């Protein structure tokens, strides 16, 4: 007998009107056994420094799911 998989429920995502979008052309990624940290930065021509505008912290499982989703979207 096969086990029945639960039906995934849709997730309602709230996107606040005041949320400011950022542009990033550089990412720094560090990790431990329990988390992956992605710092999103911007590098400008002829400027030797990059400024980090956002930091995203996630579990390794969520990072793998993000990797898969990015691959599917870019394919």
């Amino acid at each position: 007998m096969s086990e029945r998989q639960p039906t995934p429920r849709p997730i309602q995502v709230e996107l606040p009107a005041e949320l400011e979008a950022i542009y990033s052309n550089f990412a720094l990624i560090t990790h431990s056994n329990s988390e992956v940290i992605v710092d999103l930065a911007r590098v400008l021509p002829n400027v030797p420094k990059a400024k980090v505008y956002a930091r995203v912290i996630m579990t390794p499982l969520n990072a793998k799911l993000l990797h898969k989703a990015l691959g599917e979207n870019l394919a």
Side-chain angles (χ1 to χ4, degrees), residues 1-66:
M1 190 188 325
S2 65
E3 288 189 33
R4 180 178 242 172
Q5 295 292 325
T7 305
R9 289 190 246 163
I11 297 173
Q12 293 184 351
V13 177
E14 180 182 342
L15 188 60
E18 66 278 0
L19 181 67
E20 184 179 340
I22 63 156
Y23 173 76
S24 173
N25 59 2
F26 189 78
L28 297 162
I29 302 170
T30 56
H31 70 279
S32 69
N33 290 335
S34 59
E35 59 195 18
V36 175
I37 301 168
V38 182
D39 289 322
L40 301 172
R42 189 176 309 145
V43 177
L44 299 173
N46 302 316
V47 178
K49 294 195 314 189
K51 181 177 178 184
V52 173
Y53 286 88
R55 172 172 277 184
V56 178
I57 303 171
M58 62 185 78
T59 66
L61 174 60
N62 285 116
K64 288 177 184 178
L65 292 171
L66 175 62

